[in-house]
Amino acid sequence: MPESVVIEVPVKSPVQGTKSPAQVRLESRANEPRSPLSPAALKQNLENAELNRKNLLMARAEKCRDNYSKAKEVSITQKEAFNEKTNLQAESIQNRLAVAEANRLAQTEKCLEQTKAMNQRVQEAQKKREEQIASEKEELDKSVSSSKERLSAAEERRTSMLREAQEKAAAEVAKVCVRENKMLP
């Protein structure tokens, strides 16, 4: 048979709860004997209660006014800070736009200068090429005219040589004819 085990647990009496001061005050009032108040005392208590209520309402209204004024000040401060931040951002954006515009204008001016320089180089190259073509044409014309002159000189020499040959041949033929005529009876 198994052995039994005994566990001892200390048991304390339950802890008594603590009461709030308001609860203690209410219990003490409930235990006091009630004395009937006179109508003047009741009237005085009612006036005091009304005065306390008015004072409480005025204090609450003053606190609400203070809270409203503080909230209004905070709102105005936040609005001013927001406006200042917005203005700073707008100025920053304006400055960046102005810098970007200046950079764009400078880049455009630089591109225009480069384009003008390139156009000038192209015009100079075209002018040089036209001069070169004109000089080559002039040289070709000189060459052609000298070739024509040489050709016409050669033609003249050939013509004069032909004429001389014809004259010689005519003289020979005339000589031969004259001899033959003499030989004939």
Side-chain angles (χ1 to χ4, degrees):
M1 186 160 166
E3 291 183 30
S4 29
V5 178
V6 177
I7 299 175
E8 290 184 26
V9 178
V11 178
K12 293 184 179 178
S13 63
V15 178
Q16 289 186 355
T18 58
K19 295 181 180 177
S20 68
Q23 191 175 7
V24 171
R25 191 172 58 245
L26 287 173
E27 286 179 0
S28 69
R29 281 186 190 168
N31 294 335
E32 288 179 3
R34 294 185 182 226
S35 62
L37 295 176
S38 66
L42 281 176
K43 187 175 181 181
Q44 184 64 36
N45 282 348
L46 286 174
E47 287 175 0
N48 286 342
E50 184 67 23
L51 183 64
N52 287 341
R53 187 181 72 78
K54 284 182 182 178
N55 287 340
L56 179 66
L57 288 175
M58 287 172 50
R60 282 185 181 173
E62 185 63 32
K63 189 172 184 178
C64 286
R65 278 192 288 277
D66 289 344
N67 286 344
Y68 176 76
S69 64
K70 285 180 185 176
K72 188 175 180 180
E73 289 173 9
V74 167
S75 173
I76 289 171
T77 305
Q78 287 178 344
K79 187 175 181 180
E80 288 173 354
F82 177 77
N83 287 341
E84 188 174 320
K85 183 179 178 183
T86 304
N87 289 340
L88 287 174
Q89 286 177 343
E91 287 176 14
S92 173
I93 289 170
Q94 287 295 331
N95 289 340
R96 282 186 276 164
L97 286 174
V99 167
E101 182 67 17
N103 288 343
R104 186 187 67 77
L105 289 175
Q107 185 68 24
T108 303
E109 187 67 29
K110 184 179 175 183
C111 286
L112 284 174
E113 290 296 324
Q114 288 176 347
T115 304
K116 285 179 183 177
M118 190 184 327
N119 285 341
Q120 187 176 3
R121 286 194 305 268
V122 166
Q123 287 175 351
E124 288 174 0
Q126 282 179 339
K127 189 175 182 180
K128 202 175 204 181
R129 178 70 180 148
E130 287 172 0
E131 288 174 359
Q132 185 179 4
I133 289 173
S135 68
E136 286 177 358
K137 187 176 180 185
E138 188 177 309
E139 287 178 15
L140 181 65
D141 288 345
K142 284 181 184 178
S143 174
V144 167
S145 65
S146 72
S147 293
K148 284 182 180 179
E149 288 173 3
R150 282 192 311 250
L151 185 63
S152 65
E155 186 67 31
E156 286 177 16
R157 281 193 310 268
R158 187 181 72 79
T159 308
S160 67
M161 285 173 60
L162 265 176
R163 202 174 314 129
E164 287 177 10
Q166 283 177 349
E167 288 175 359
K168 282 182 183 179
E172 276 298 312
V173 169
K175 279 183 185 180
V176 167
C177 281
V178 169
R179 268 190 246 159
E180 283 183 12
N181 277 339
K182 287 188 180 180
M183 290 182 144
L184 286 177

